[in-house]
Amino acid sequence: MYHTNDLHSHFEYWPHLSSYLQQQKQHHLQHGEDVFVLDIGDHVDRFHPISEATYGKGNVALLNEAGYDFATIGNNEGITLDKAQLDDLYTEAHFPVLVANLYERDGSRPAWVKPYELRRTESGITIAFIGLTVAYNTFYSQLGWSVTDPMPELEEALRQVKGQADIVVVLSHLGRDADEYIGQHYDVDVVLGAHTHHLFETGLLVNGTLLCCTGKWGNYVGHVQLCMDADTKQVKGKQARVIASKLLGGHHKTEQALRQLEQNSVLSLQEQVAELPEELTVDWFTETPFAGMLADAVKEWCGTEIGMVNAGVLLESLPSGAVTKGDLHRICPHPINPCSMAVSGKILREVIIRARRPQTEQLEVKGFGFRGKVMGKMIYSGLEFTPDEIPGNKLLLREVLVNGEPLEPDRMYTIGTLDMFTFGYLFPELTHVPGTHYFLPETLRDVLRHKLVQHSSMNFS
């Protein structure tokens, strides 16, 4: 088995991967060996023009060309596309998509999904492939899906394949901790992992289950070899390794396909959406009219008293003149959604202080949907504050005004902000706030586009 995970549309090594997988598959088949190629999710990431313009269908075309046999979905396929886009994503796939814990709202299975599949090899061995994805139910439910706890779904799939499968392989877009839990508690031969971008160079054995993962971005391709006793159909040996993609040769045909996909995507994103009367400049560490405009836009979109965004989400300035879809994608490529919440004045003050810390502003953020470089200065709409001028107390606040009124510690204030601030790492104060509402499927650039159209010197519908 050869496996990839968390490519996130980083196609730098894709010609190498595709060529290697096709060659290895042909080699094994010629030598009478059973071989499978699998992707464990988050192949799609809308930070890349190909994925943005094709809503991931370009990624599926690349998987087809490389000869993949199975795939599961990650959160980037599942919750950065709207329901219709995800329903359409795999219509031309040459491989089954396995997700045991994804349902329609009425409890039925989507037409493009199977919980598992049994494959009988030429040597008479039956393998059960089971797919699972991380259960971000708050996001899935707003998009029209139902995603369930993966462990009961795994138990049900194992019950159904019991007595039929000689080998059980789980395609797990759940993360390392969940994979180790599966190894400790279930009779599974191999878990092919993803989501937390961990790297097991030679696999990890947990209670006899072989856990595998290749890190991220296509830097490695995973190879798992199972040796079987043909008579007893028992696994006699398990080996895992990863191969560095940069050491593999490229594939001219795939390079051509990638170039064509990118050219078509760039053309698709040339649609004009606004006309700017003046340049809008970006500075990650200074408040600019452009960042202020985005904070205003989030506040208005969410219908809140305060807007709060970090300047680092705007990657580039916009010159005066025509603004296209491609421009918006280039300067704001993040799969980040706006959200609203209500917090007390006391907590709001703590958030402001934390955001003002130099280590916060200069933090190089990785993940959480953020596709930029640094957090940058926090920008507010509807909120002003005066720093304390006492030496040594630069982070303290002398006065905070919300829409011109003094901040009240016990009063609840509504904030429109970014979903990445609710995931616990950046601002623990904003984690698990009751009543937090996420706006889906709109991304931050959709909110920005709406505001720029209002600001535009031309009328765009």
Side-chain angles (χ1 to χ4, degrees), residues 193-354:
H195 186 52
T196 46
H197 300 179
H198 50 291
L199 176 64
F200 290 147
E201 294 186 1
T202 56
L204 176 68
L205 272 174
V206 176
N207 197 28
T209 298
L210 181 62
L211 309 186
C212 307
C213 196
T214 69
K216 63 179 181 179
W217 297 359
N219 292 324
Y220 296 92
V221 58
H223 178 212
V224 178
Q225 188 175 47
L226 302 183
C227 296
M228 306 291 297
D229 185 309
D231 296 322
T232 64
K233 297 185 179 180
Q234 297 294 308
V235 178
K236 307 301 290 185
K238 303 176 183 179
Q239 292 182 325
R241 62 175 179 142
V242 295
I243 302 100
S245 301
K246 65 182 180 181
L247 302 179
L248 305 174
H251 193 295
H252 183 62
K253 182 180 177 183
T254 304
E255 290 170 354
Q256 285 184 316
L258 267 174
R259 281 197 298 271
Q260 189 61 56
L261 272 172
E262 189 146 23
Q263 289 171 6
N264 293 343
S265 299
V266 169
L267 287 173
S268 175
L269 294 173
Q270 284 183 353
E271 178 185 338
Q272 185 174 352
V273 297
E275 184 85 16
L276 296 183
E278 74 283 323
E279 180 183 14
L280 294 174
T281 59
V282 165
D283 186 319
W284 295 334
F285 301 106
T286 303
E287 185 165 357
T288 65
F290 195 8
M293 180 188 296
L294 181 58
D296 290 342
V298 171
K299 173 187 171 184
E300 294 166 8
W301 190 275
C302 297
T304 54
E305 298 169 274
I306 299 165
M308 185 179 87
V309 300
N310 60 304
V313 295
L314 294 171
L315 304 190
E316 297 180 24
S317 303
L318 281 177
S320 60
V323 179
T324 66
K325 285 184 176 180
D327 293 327
L328 292 182
H329 180 259
R330 187 183 67 258
I331 70 165
C332 193
H334 329 277
I336 289 174
N337 306 106
C339 68
S340 63
M341 64 179 69
V343 301
S344 69
K346 179 182 178 182
I347 290 178
L348 180 55
R349 177 183 283 270
E350 292 173 0
V351 169
I352 297 168
I353 292 172
R354 183 183 295 273

Side-chain angles (χ1 to χ4, degrees), residues 408-424:
E408 300 177 36
D410 297 326
R411 190 196 143 183
M412 301 300 288
Y413 293 90
T414 57
I415 303 174
T417 189
L418 312 182
D419 62 10
M420 70 174 184
F421 295 154
T422 71
F423 298 154

